[in-house]
Amino acid sequence: MIPIKIQCRSISKGTGEGTALVSRDPISFLGNVDPETGIIVDPDHELYGKCIKDTVLVFPSGKGSTVGSYVLYQLKKNGFAPAAMVNLESEPIVAVGAIISDIPLVDRPGIDIYETIKDGDFLKVNGIEGYIEITGNI
Amino acid sequence: MHLTKEEEKIMQGEYGLTLEKAMEILVALGDIYGADELIPIKSAQVAGVSYKTIGDAGLEWISSLEGKVRVPSILNPAGMDLEKWSEMGISQNFARKQNEIIRAYENLGIRTECTCTPYYLKGFHLNMGDHVAWSESSAVSYANSVIGARTNREGGPSALSAALIGKTANYGFHLDENRVPSVSVNVESDLKGSDYGALGYVAGKLISNRVPLFFLSSKPEPDDLKSLGAAMAASGSVALYHVDGVTPEIGHMHFEMPDENITIEKEQIQEVYDSTSELRSRCDIVAIGCPHCSPGELEEIADLLEGRRLKKELWICVSREVAERYSHIVDMIEESGAKVMCDTCMVVSPASENYECMAVNSGKAFNYVPGMCRLKARYASIEECIEEAGDSN
């Protein structure tokens, strides 16, 4: 397929790629995610039971405790962090967590990503120039 | 956001990875909140200190940083008294980790005083209009409201980034337009002491994150304002408030009357006491000093404790500098059997979890103790708190 390029705002530098894991629920990294496994452990969360390791995690925004920034760092150190993240609108917890953990993060995508991106799509995230590329389906 | 050439160089990594990351954090926050530029700060207060809250991940990140802070910087309360931790029932493992966190901050040039009241300390006095990057919610409220200085409520990494760069992004409470009150609050009852904490506990829930303008029939002292602001920052997320005829920006900024108007009745304030009155005499610990005591509050406590031998645990939380400056008052307080704790408080220390019911005179502690420490809390005046701790004889 021809890659689809979506302009975004750059929040955390770097580039990353992987298969999309899409959530319409905000994520509180403190509490929703197990830092030892990368698995979403909150039964009420849309991604309950799924592992975020090496994915491009697409979610509207972060929420909850500011300690969530350190949970992202812990996930990275443990090898269970997402390869990159895409937000509708980033807030400080996820933005800071992404920066200290070297996880590329972009937000404010130029089109409706919930229409365009499905679980399993292969995505490239460029956090330096600020765009996403959908390069294929699995 | 506009960056100077020097700031661009930092962002490109010319001064090393730590400053690059710090600049990246400030710029990301500036972009998120629509800041136009970075502005110099006078001091920083860094959150993310208690091992109970940041854990090994936080310790690891702070330890990975290099360099020195550019402005006077200080820490939020830690999980224990850094000297008397074993008296608090803190485990060896926790103490070792907590000390590692403190050393990691010290290596960055941060003063290792851990307090929610930096404004009492030498080197951290503020004047109206000063810009700072402080973290602890009651300190932020006090700086903004009682002093008229300007700070957002910084998170741990953002305050640390600001300290390392010596600047913060110009948004939120740094700007005049965000300091304008949007709701007025009328309180006709006579208030004293812990009534202000109870008022703050009630008001914070109604106000959420807005800027209130209070019309009070009583005239609060700075210690009363400290209690009011701390409670509102806990039960709501009020980071700035004004009190007509009292706080410094009134008269300088010529605010218009807000459209929305709330009245808080005496009964609503009394309800905070009454809601836990069944816990009277059933508490196994009493804790005072949330936020950390002022010199005046220490004197009041010493007067109330004179001649008493306490039956129950009584903790008085205070900054180390104030405790050392007023060591004669601390000695008088400790003669009763009370423990004066520095560097920590009942909310952030895991030591609280060893008890079942805590009496407090702080609206902030009353808000947090049940959830964060998992014990019951009784709200009472300072006199009743001292009564709860033991008989006079």
Side-chain angles (χ1 to χ4, degrees), chain B residues 250-323:
Chain B
I250 296 288
H252 276 86
M253 294 194 36
H254 307 292
F255 300 124
E256 304 211 348
M257 268 301 285
D259 291 335
E260 192 182 339
N261 192 349
I262 298 174
T263 298
I264 294 179
E265 305 290 350
K266 188 176 183 184
E267 293 72 33
Q268 290 169 276
I269 297 167
Q270 186 58 38
E271 172 62 19
V272 180
Y273 298 94
D274 293 348
S275 65
T276 58
S277 58
E278 83 279 4
L279 298 172
R280 180 191 300 267
S281 79
R282 287 166 54 195
C283 295
D284 51 356
I285 181 164
V286 179
I288 296 170
C290 170
H292 283 169
C293 291
S294 67
E297 288 170 319
L298 277 185
E299 276 182 46
E300 183 186 8
I301 294 162
D303 284 347
L304 288 168
L305 284 172
E306 200 180 341
R308 285 177 190 262
R309 280 306 302 167
L310 300 182
K311 289 180 176 171
K312 292 179 183 174
E313 198 78 358
L314 169 61
W315 292 356
I316 312 293
C317 301
V318 64
S319 65
R320 188 164 293 282
E321 185 180 307
V322 168

Side-chain angles (χ1 to χ4, degrees), chain A residues 32-78:
Chain A
N32 285 172
V33 188
D34 178 0
E36 306 293 329
T37 62
I39 292 171
I40 305 282
V41 290
D42 176 2
D44 294 330
H45 200 279
E46 186 188 341
L47 299 183
Y48 176 59
K50 298 211 166 132
C51 181
I52 63 174
K53 178 183 194 295
D54 298 333
T55 64
V56 172
L57 188 58
V58 180
F59 58 109
S61 71
K63 63 168 186 174
S65 165
T66 53
V67 177
S69 302
Y70 296 120
V71 175
L72 270 166
Y73 187 80
Q74 208 172 351
L75 282 163
K76 179 75 173 193
K77 289 284 161 178
N78 293 341

Side-chain angles (χ1 to χ4, degrees), chain B residues 114-167:
Chain B
C114 306
T115 181
C116 47
T117 56
Y119 40 87
Y120 295 142
L121 273 51
K122 292 192 183 82
F124 292 87
H125 291 299
L126 297 180
N127 296 311
M128 191 166 156
D130 285 341
H131 294 275
V132 295
W134 285 13
S135 292
E136 198 281 322
S137 66
S138 78
V140 166
S141 174
Y142 197 93
N144 274 325
S145 314
V146 184
I147 302 172
R150 297 181 172 215
T151 181
N152 290 312
R153 185 180 172 186
E154 301 283 351
S158 71
L160 188 49
S161 299
L164 288 161
I165 302 284
K167 295 176 183 175

Side-chain angles (χ1 to χ4, degrees), chain A:
Chain A
M1 74 181 265
I2 301 163
I4 304 169
K5 188 169 171 179
I6 305 168
Q7 287 299 328
C8 300
R9 182 170 70 168
S10 160
I11 298 286
S12 174
K13 291 191 282 188
T15 58
E17 56 184 47
T19 52
L21 182 60
V22 181
S23 168
R24 286 173 185 270
D25 289 344
I27 297 175
S28 167
F29 280 87
L30 182 71
N32 285 172
V33 188
D34 178 0
E36 306 293 329
T37 62
I39 292 171
I40 305 282
V41 290
D42 176 2
D44 294 330
H45 200 279
E46 186 188 341
L47 299 183
Y48 176 59
K50 298 211 166 132
C51 181
I52 63 174
K53 178 183 194 295
D54 298 333
T55 64
V56 172
L57 188 58
V58 180
F59 58 109
S61 71
K63 63 168 186 174
S65 165
T66 53
V67 177
S69 302
Y70 296 120
V71 175
L72 270 166
Y73 187 80
Q74 208 172 351
L75 282 163
K76 179 75 173 193
K77 289 284 161 178
N78 293 341
F80 294 104
M85 296 188 289
V86 179
N87 287 162
L88 290 186
E89 190 77 43
S90 291
E91 49 59 62
I93 303 166
V94 170
V96 167
I99 292 167
I100 66 176
S101 315
D102 284 320
I103 302 170
L105 169 65
V106 296
D107 79 342
R108 294 193 181 170
I111 57 171
D112 182 351
I113 46 171
Y114 290 115
E115 282 292 313
T116 319
I117 300 173
K118 302 289 173 234
D119 275 354
D121 286 349
F122 194 81
L123 302 185
K124 289 184 175 178
V125 174
N126 188 320
I128 302 164
E129 292 171 40
Y131 63 84
I132 315 168
E133 265 183 355
I134 310 175
T135 59
N137 304 88
I138 290 177

